[in-house]
Amino acid sequence: MSETNEQFLSREITFFKDLSEDEKQLLLSGTYDRQFAKGEIVSSSGAPCLGVVIVKSGKLRVFMLSEEGREITLYYVEPSEVCILSASCVLSNISFEVQVEAELESEVIQISSSVFGKISKNNVYVENYALKLAVERFSDVMWAMQQLLFFSMDKRLAMYLYDEVAKIKSLEINQTHEQIAKSLGSAREVITRLLQRFSQDGLVELSRGKIVVLDKKAISRLFD
């Protein structure tokens, strides 16, 4: 028997137990299942406020788009994680526009902004939950901005490869140069040139759509 949205929310959302029965029913009435294909835009600038998005499976990428059309990845939203900045319209004194894309084929639960806003306005547990999540995500945003402003691209690429290996627990990274460029807010040509240099130095092995890290310690020394 498949899990209901109520069961999923009660397990994954800490404030759910602090809702009254009426609030639970209101929340569930504004909750929708949505599916997105890999590469599909979940939310974009100028679109109506998306609301709160909780990933059930797959992976979302949250990014900003410069006036020149360059993408800067801010963070990723993994299964059981919440994208709260997509609901910045219901967070008091916070105005922050981001774009959201399905990095992988994804299934999410969306809580409408109007419902979430109404409940958070009347329930301090929900309000505190939203603000705590927003602060955590702004820390991710500030880290992304810090790397962009203060680290050279070769150091940022080395950090990215090192972190990916640690995250996926494999030395084989199945990503294209274009995907990495989007994550780092750079151009594909720049990433390709740096990876080729890393390859010549014996740090990585390159093939189509795949990067194999050969010397993890040497890569870490690039940004230590």
Side-chain angles (χ1 to χ4, degrees):
M1 184 176 179
S2 60
E3 185 178 43
T4 66
N5 284 347
E6 182 173 5
Q7 291 170 328
F8 180 83
L9 293 173
S10 66
R11 187 183 74 248
E12 300 294 346
I13 304 299
T14 57
F15 67 73
F16 196 82
K17 66 181 185 302
D18 298 306
L19 298 177
S20 67
E21 285 303 316
D22 287 343
E23 288 172 331
K24 287 180 181 178
Q25 292 308 310
L26 177 60
L27 182 72
L28 293 171
S29 72
T31 299
Y32 310 95
D33 290 304
R34 299 189 64 186
Q35 295 184 336
F36 297 94
K38 180 179 178 180
E40 186 176 354
I41 295 298
V42 178
S43 177
S44 60
S45 297
C49 185
L50 183 65
V52 177
V53 174
I54 309 163
V55 177
K56 296 182 75 174
S57 64
K59 184 179 181 180
L60 304 182
R61 181 173 73 98
V62 180
F63 64 100
M64 296 180 68
L65 192 64
S66 71
E67 292 183 359
E68 297 78 23
R70 179 170 295 180
E71 297 178 5
I72 302 172
T73 298
L74 302 176
Y75 58 87
Y76 293 95
V77 188
E78 306 274 359
S80 296
E81 291 184 345
V82 179
C83 184
I84 192 68
L85 293 187
S86 59
S88 60
C89 56
V90 297
L91 299 175
S92 299
N93 302 318
I94 293 179
S95 178
F96 196 81
E97 282 195 2
V98 296
Q99 313 230 37
V100 184
E101 175 188 61
E103 179 79 0
L104 303 172
E105 183 178 341
S106 302
E107 181 182 0
V108 309
I109 289 180
Q110 176 186 346
I111 303 173
S112 76
S113 56
S114 59
V115 166
F116 188 83
K118 184 175 181 179
I119 295 175
S120 62
K121 184 177 180 180
N122 297 305
N123 188 308
V124 67
Y125 294 102
V126 181
E127 182 181 37
N128 287 343
Y129 173 87
L131 292 176
K132 181 175 182 292
L133 269 182
V135 168
E136 291 173 354
R137 286 309 188 186
F138 271 121
S139 295
D140 294 333
V141 172
M142 292 305 297
W143 172 238
M145 293 298 102
Q146 181 181 351
Q147 290 187 69
L148 184 66
L149 294 172
F150 302 116
F151 289 89
S152 62
M153 185 52 67
D154 58 343
K155 287 186 177 182
R156 292 174 60 205
L157 178 58
M159 293 171 68
Y160 182 85
L161 296 176
Y162 189 88
D163 289 344
E164 280 297 304
V165 164
K167 184 169 62 177
I168 65 178
K169 296 180 173 58
S170 171
L171 296 176
E172 185 176 302
I173 301 171
N174 294 301
Q175 294 185 28
T176 66
H177 298 186
E178 180 68 28
Q179 287 174 305
I180 295 174
K182 285 185 177 181
S183 293
L184 296 178
S186 182
R188 180 187 58 79
E189 294 79 8
V190 173
I191 298 303
T192 296
R193 185 171 66 248
L194 288 173
L195 285 173
Q196 288 173 344
R197 195 184 82 192
F198 286 5
S199 177
Q200 291 168 359
D201 292 340
L203 305 181
V204 300
E205 181 180 277
L206 305 177
S207 59
R208 188 176 181 84
K210 183 171 67 175
I211 301 164
V212 178
V213 173
L214 301 177
D215 195 335
K216 186 178 175 182
K217 287 185 178 180
I219 284 180
S220 71
R221 286 196 291 269
L222 293 177
F223 59 84
D224 279 346

